[in-house]
Amino acid sequence: MSKSKRNTVDPDDIIAAYGADTARWFMLSDSPPERDVNWTEKGVQGAWRFTQRLWRVIGEATEIAKAAPAAKPAAFGPLALAVRKAAHGALAKVTDAVDKLHFNVAVAHIYEFTSALQSALNDAKATAGGKADAAGDIAWAVREAADILVMLFNPMMPHLAEECWAALGHKTLVAEAPWPAVEGALLIEDVIVLPVQVNGKKRADVTVPRDAAANAVEAAALALEPVQRALGGKPPKKVIVVPQRIVNVVA
Amino acid sequence: MSTERYNAREAEARWQKIWDERGIFASKNDDPRSRYYVLEMFPYPSGRIHMGHVRNYTMGDVVARTKRAMGFNVLHPMGWDAFGMPAENAAMERKVHPKAWTYQNIEAMKAQLKSMGLSLDWARELATCDPTYYKHQQKMFLDFLRAGLVERKSSKVNWDPVDNTVLANEQVIDGRGWRSGALVEQRELTQWFFKITAYAQELLDAIDTLERWPDKVRTMQRNWIGRSEGLLIRFALDPKTVKNGESELEIFTTRPDTLFGAKFMAVAPDHPLAAAAAKKDAKLATFIEECKRHGTSAEEIETAEKMGYDTGIRAVHPFDPSWTLPVYVANFILMDYGTGAIFGCPAHDQRDLDFVNKYGLGNTPVVCPPDVDPASFVVIDTAFVGDGRMINSRFLDGMTIAQAKEEVAKRLEKETRGNIPVGERKVNFRLRDWGISRQRYWGCPIPIIHCEDCGVVPVPDADLPVKLPDDVTFDKPGNPLDRHSTWKHVKCPHCGKDARRETDTMDTFVDSSWYFARFTDPQLATAPTDKKIADAWLPVDQYIFALLHPRDEEDRASRPRRAVRRPVHARHGGARDLPQGGRHVRGTGGGRDRGRGR
């Protein structure tokens, strides 16, 4: 019969205290479908705090998005581009995770994307001198990212999503909105990370543009502090850059 | 606005109302877009949802909402697996009518589900206890009957003599009824069966087509169907040892290769040979009675101590007329598997080995593992079940197991006794026909009338549904339908004479075997489904269910489903929800609440 008597947790209590979205989010975030959920008060509170955080992030994004031009800007600056990459990267990953029923993975990507958007909003405000009137390309990218974020968490937390969607100025329901299309070009990573070895021992990683010339890679690798330390201030005898693979320094 | 807190309680109710008013989660059968059917296992209306439900329905809802956004015409329905014993228990314990109890619970749980904000098409809601649902189930029963897929036969059941009811295996605890505490009897009862064994091979083959099912579940389903190829062998009985003129004993074996390792024969306690011998042997009769007190579930058979009784009858080895084997009645042989009789080869079967070690019958290994010297190979308390070469087996020596099986089959097929071959190749299935009769009130009535002159007469289609009467009492044990003053008294549809209705109702698993199809057109009055509409929606694209009770899962697995494309299974919230001992859940199927009768 009713199992609620044996359970310490009653869904009604959770929904009354925190809301259905918090209960839903927690149930998805804890573990993959084939495993048990470990119910903890701390976990539920964490889920609840995330709903509030999303609400704040979308609120801030709404302020910045007000300056967005109607038409998509022809070009995007570095900050706008970073926002767009985070958004489309999350879109692709969450879509894939939901398709594979890896709900906890989808949830993790939404957390990550939310943090990325939050720091982009901070950067945008900082560059605009603490005011919300960001440049057009940034405002447009923020609006796009906020829309995508709401779309992504809508299946998990549909009430909060509707509230955020309305706050963003949409007159329709997010429940009826079409799934956003991924811009494939934004998914291509244009930086690569190469390991740097000194005398066969790995000392550091160097992050360089994917199309960086060999001498630029060499310079970046030698500038790294752990590499400098390994060389003991002396110039290297030889530096071998294997494109897209590794940097070998011979001391 | 960014400084304000989000008020979930206020916002959630508001958005639920808006979704509801706009009907945005209703799916239309004539919508031309691609279809996607998301189904969670429908709940039993116990009265409350629990966190396991929240988890399953949330997972389903994420899929449904995502697919809807992706442009699919999504079907995401909800209903109630509403017949079953808890409602009758409530009636007995709390004096509330099962119907009232069930519908109150449905209302309460529906409100809870609505508070979760699930994107369900509530217009398709159904309850299996609704006559508009079970009417079609009764019609299907009659269609099956006409097609020869339903039959009435006698079978062994666990009978609680105090509650006057049949008990499922899991309701027998240490040989006693779970409610009454009475010693359970094994009784023969005439019941209705769905002949699922007619589809054993087809069901087995279909498992291969379930591409996205977890391997674990598929393996379990295969094991449940349990196909095995073997040999029927008719052993002659030594005429000097039989008391009732029996001349032979037919056994089924999957290991005819081990015939030269045979040490004994064993028959089930309810085998005719045992019954006949017991008439002239009071001790044997007592032993058989003792066996009948114990359950017949696979688990109980496995764990119970092996016990046997030597009947004094001896069977003649098919390859050596001078070699005879003692015939035991044994508690670990099941009448409804194979022929209810075996030959025991202890060196290569653990149960047989446990048995001979207890009764001092010895063992002779006949299969030698690779890399082991046949001269030194002995079996003591662990049977060798692996592959190897035949030893101690006369003309089979040196062969592989497969060669030996083939050789034995060939020889025994050619040999005849009374113009019938001594051996016959046979495919055997562990799967048994599904007994669907329950001596319960709160279930779907079986639409049959019993007439003294005409026999078993189907209720005419025009008279369906056979509705449950509302005015029933639960103050006495047994089936309220059986003691109802008028309900069962009807005229025979054939001859018009006084006749009586079948008072058994169907196992509730019948109800839950077709609900996924009914959801495609749940208001259709003339048929269970509209073929075109059902074909358009089925199979289910995503099915989500939880695992709760392994035994229930086994039962449900006896009817592997073919209309589900891609299942995901989730366990309910926390170890405390698992059956005693935290046993790991295996396989598919029934997330029934525990203690549910069937």
Side-chain angles (χ1 to χ4, degrees):
Chain A
M1 285 191 32
S2 168
K3 300 176 54 55
S4 59
K5 287 182 202 109
R6 282 195 291 274
N7 274 359
T8 52
V9 186
D10 186 310
D12 272 4
D13 296 341
I14 302 295
I15 291 170
Y18 298 100
D21 285 342
T22 295
R24 292 169 60 121
W25 183 256
F26 176 75
M27 279 312 207
L28 295 167
S29 61
D30 189 65
S31 48
E34 64 279 8
R35 291 234 313 271
D36 285 336
V37 164
N38 294 313
W39 183 265
T40 63
E41 192 68 22
K42 214 176 132 203
V44 179
Q45 283 169 1
W48 181 79
R49 278 197 303 274
F50 186 61
T51 63
Q52 298 298 336
R53 184 166 171 217
L54 281 172
W55 177 240
R56 282 195 308 274
V57 170
I58 295 298
E60 288 174 33
T62 305
E63 292 300 306
I64 288 175
K66 276 177 187 162
K72 183 179 175 182
F76 292 93
L79 180 57
L81 195 59
V83 170
R84 297 201 72 215
K85 284 186 175 211
H88 284 266
L91 173 58
K93 287 175 200 157
V94 172
T95 305
D96 180 61
V98 168
D99 183 58
K100 290 178 175 147
L101 310 174
H102 297 165
F103 302 113
N104 56 325
V105 174
V107 160
H109 287 305
I110 291 171
Y111 276 127
E112 192 186 326
F113 174 34
T114 305
S115 296
L117 181 58
Q118 178 68 71
S119 58
L121 293 172
N122 294 346
D123 289 352
K125 276 195 275 188
T127 49
K131 292 192 291 268
D133 49 349
D137 66 329
I138 295 174
W140 195 94
V142 164
R143 191 183 64 189
E144 181 195 38
D147 281 354
I148 287 176
L149 176 60
V150 174
M151 282 301 300
L152 291 184
F153 73 76
N154 170 54
M156 295 93 171
M157 295 187 283
H159 312 88
L160 176 63
E162 294 289 4
E163 199 76 359
C164 290
W165 196 248
L168 282 165
H170 294 284
K171 304 294 175 213
T172 54
L173 292 173
V174 68
E176 294 186 294
W179 198 249
V182 177
E183 273 186 37
L186 292 167
L187 300 186
I188 296 166
E189 289 284 341
D190 51 11
V191 294
I192 49 171
V193 179
L194 304 176
V196 182
Q197 289 188 349
V198 179
N199 290 340
K201 190 162 186 214
K202 187 185 165 190
R203 295 290 178 182
D205 287 310
V206 64
T207 304
V208 291
R210 180 173 291 278
D211 52 2
N215 56 353
V217 176
E218 181 179 327
L222 293 177
L224 293 169
E225 204 265 319
V227 177
Q228 285 291 327
R229 234 185 303 131
L231 289 170
K234 289 176 212 145
K237 284 193 187 131
K238 201 175 174 190
V239 178
I240 306 152
V241 177
V242 184
Q244 318 289 319
R245 293 285 302 280
I246 196 166
V247 181
N248 274 314
V249 180
V250 183
Chain B
M1 59 155 262
S2 59
T3 53
E4 282 171 35
R5 271 198 165 182
Y6 168 62
N7 182 347
R9 186 186 276 203
E10 182 276 327
E12 290 184 352
R14 180 159 39 82
W15 289 112
Q16 284 162 15
K17 189 156 170 278
I18 291 170
W19 295 330
D20 210 28
E21 282 166 1
R22 300 201 193 169
I24 56 172
F25 303 130
S27 30
K28 293 184 180 63
N29 285 341
D30 58 3
D31 188 322
R33 294 174 299 163
S34 297
R35 294 163 198 267
Y36 197 91
Y37 186 176
V38 187
L39 182 68
E40 298 102 21
M41 186 172 63
F42 69 163
Y44 177 75
S46 61
R48 308 285 300 166
I49 61 169
H50 52 72
M51 291 313 291
H53 291 127
V54 173
R55 192 171 184 218
N56 280 353
Y57 302 151
T58 302
M59 289 195 282
D61 202 42
V62 170
V63 175
R65 285 179 180 270
T66 306
K67 291 291 175 182
R68 209 174 275 118
M70 288 175 172
F72 287 91
N73 176 24
V74 171
L75 174 55
H76 188 207
M78 182 55 71
W80 309 96
D81 193 4
F83 274 137
M85 223 169 54
E88 285 187 59
N89 293 341
M92 281 183 264
E93 288 157 13
R94 279 171 258 170
K95 314 270 178 258
V96 49
H97 194 279
K99 187 178 182 177
W101 184 83
T102 302
Y103 278 100
Q104 280 163 17
N105 289 349
I106 287 175
E107 279 318 299
M109 290 174 74
K110 190 173 171 182
Q112 287 186 297
L113 291 182
K114 288 202 161 184
S115 76
M116 285 181 61
L118 302 167
S119 64
L120 292 163
D121 182 358
W122 282 104
R124 292 177 188 250
E125 179 185 5
L126 59 80
T128 57
C129 64
D130 186 330
T132 63
Y133 181 84
Y134 69 67
K135 168 189 171 176
H136 301 293
Q137 193 164 306
Q138 292 175 335
K139 176 68 164 46
M140 280 189 265
F141 177 96
L142 296 176
D143 289 344
F144 288 165
L145 185 64
R146 282 175 205 121
L149 295 172
V150 165
E151 68 179 3
R152 204 159 169 258
K153 62 186 177 188
S154 175
S155 86
K156 224 168 50 166
V157 295
N158 302 311
W159 181 260
D160 184 322
V162 171
D163 276 356
N164 289 321
T165 189
V166 169
L167 299 177
N169 278 334
E170 57 264 46
Q171 294 165 340
V172 180
I173 296 158
D174 296 332
R176 293 176 182 272
W178 69 308
R179 284 177 57 83
S180 70
L183 276 178
V184 168
E185 299 166 7
Q186 299 286 313
R187 270 203 192 177
E188 286 284 330
L189 209 65
T190 303
Q191 303 202 85
W192 289 98
F193 283 82
F194 282 175
K195 291 170 71 176
I196 56 173
T197 52
Y199 292 88
Q201 188 63 49
E202 203 177 313
L203 286 166
L204 185 64
D205 293 342
I207 293 172
D208 294 331
T209 67
L210 301 173
E211 282 166 17
R212 298 186 75 171
W213 283 65
D215 283 344
K216 178 169 94 168
V217 175
R218 298 202 294 178
T219 301
M220 210 205 105
Q221 301 239 353
R222 279 192 198 98
N223 291 345
W224 183 261
I225 295 168
R227 184 185 199 274
S228 55
E229 290 177 13
L231 204 59
L232 281 172
I233 305 176
R234 293 159 55 231
F235 279 71
L237 296 177
D238 180 349
K240 293 192 294 291
T241 62
V242 297
K243 299 192 180 79
N244 302 289
E246 297 94 343
S247 62
E248 62 179 35
L249 176 61
E250 188 176 49
I251 61 103
F252 173 78
T253 178
T254 58
R255 294 296 303 272
D257 53 304
T258 63
L259 257 178
F260 289 102
K263 290 292 169 189
F264 66 97
M265 312 291 293
V267 301
D270 45 349
H271 192 281
L273 190 65
K279 282 191 187 136
K280 293 177 181 168
D281 185 340
K283 274 192 192 162
L284 175 56
T286 312
F287 176 78
I288 290 171
E289 277 312 303
E290 177 62 27
C291 290
K292 286 184 178 176
R293 288 202 205 290
H294 294 282
T296 57
S297 70
E299 194 181 324
E300 275 176 274
I301 296 289
E302 286 302 327
T303 54
E305 188 187 352
K306 310 289 174 283
M307 292 197 299
Y309 185 94
D310 186 352
T311 60
I313 301 169
R314 295 193 74 89
V316 182
H317 196 283
F319 288 122
D320 186 347
S322 67
W323 180 356
T324 64
L325 298 155
V327 179
Y328 279 77
V329 176
N331 67 342
F332 62 99
I333 309 300
L334 286 181
M335 193 57 217
D336 48 7
Y337 180 81
T339 62
I342 60 144
F343 79 82
C345 176
H348 305 289
D349 181 289
Q350 191 60 45
R351 286 179 302 185
D352 295 350
L353 185 63
D354 293 345
F355 189 79
V356 296
N357 284 348
K358 179 166 178 179
Y359 293 101
L361 301 170
N363 78 75
T364 304
V366 290
V367 180
C368 185
D371 312 323
V372 173
D373 176 13
S376 65
F377 180 56
V378 289
V379 168
I380 297 167
D381 51 16
T382 304
F384 174 65
V385 294
D387 209 351
R389 295 268 174 185
M390 304 309 299
I391 54 170
N392 303 325
S393 294
R394 305 186 192 183
F395 55 84
L396 300 176
D397 283 350
M399 291 184 185
T400 63
I401 289 177
Q403 288 166 338
K405 280 181 179 173
E406 183 59 29
E407 183 62 28
V408 169
K410 259 196 232 160
R411 288 189 183 221
L412 292 182
E413 272 171 341
K414 276 189 216 133
E415 199 175 316
T416 59
R417 192 180 320 116
N419 282 330
I420 308 169
V422 170
E424 183 194 334
R425 289 176 215 252
K426 197 178 177 236
V427 173
N428 197 54
F429 290 95
R430 181 174 170 265
L431 186 71
R432 300 175 200 177
D433 281 337
W434 177 13
I436 60 145
S437 298
R438 296 293 180 271
Q439 295 68 42
R440 295 276 166 214
Y441 164 71
W442 196 232
C444 171
I446 294 173
I448 288 291
I449 291 164
H450 298 279
C451 170
E452 270 189 28
D453 293 346
C454 310
V456 168
V457 183
V459 171
D461 288 355
D463 294 347
L464 298 182
V466 176
K467 285 193 196 173
L468 287 172
D470 286 334
D471 53 333
V472 283
T473 54
F474 293 91
D475 49 347
K476 286 181 224 131
N479 183 353
L481 290 178
D482 200 35
R483 59 171 182 264
H484 190 276
S485 59
T486 56
W487 186 78
K488 71 175 173 183
H489 302 296
V490 284
K491 299 290 179 198
C492 170
H494 269 180
C495 67
K497 278 198 209 148
D498 286 347
R500 61 176 181 83
R501 281 193 193 287
E502 172 79 48
T503 56
D504 284 354
T505 53
M506 292 185 209
D507 179 356
T508 59
F509 281 6
V510 180
D511 314 345
S512 54
S513 289
W514 67 285
Y515 74 105
F516 60 91
R518 181 67 179 168
F519 274 137
T520 62
D521 197 2
Q523 272 94 40
L524 186 64
T526 51
T529 57
D530 178 293
K531 192 177 180 325
K532 261 173 90 175
I533 293 170
D535 283 349
W537 280 114
L538 296 173
V540 171
D541 294 284
Q542 179 67 61
Y543 179 52
I544 295 172
F545 56 96
L547 304 176
L548 261 185
H549 197 299
R551 283 191 188 154
D552 274 359
E553 288 148 32
E554 283 168 15
D555 279 341
R556 208 169 265 222
S558 69
R559 280 151 290 122
R561 288 158 193 228
R562 301 192 42 192
V564 180
R565 186 178 285 154
R566 186 191 184 204
V568 60
H569 50 104
R571 298 233 316 253
H572 280 208
R576 64 187 161 274
D577 275 330
L578 288 172
Q580 287 75 10
R583 177 173 165 189
H584 266 247
V585 170
R586 28 179 259 248
T588 183
R592 284 305 185 105
D593 292 334
R594 260 176 288 163
R596 184 89 196 283
R598 284 168 295 111

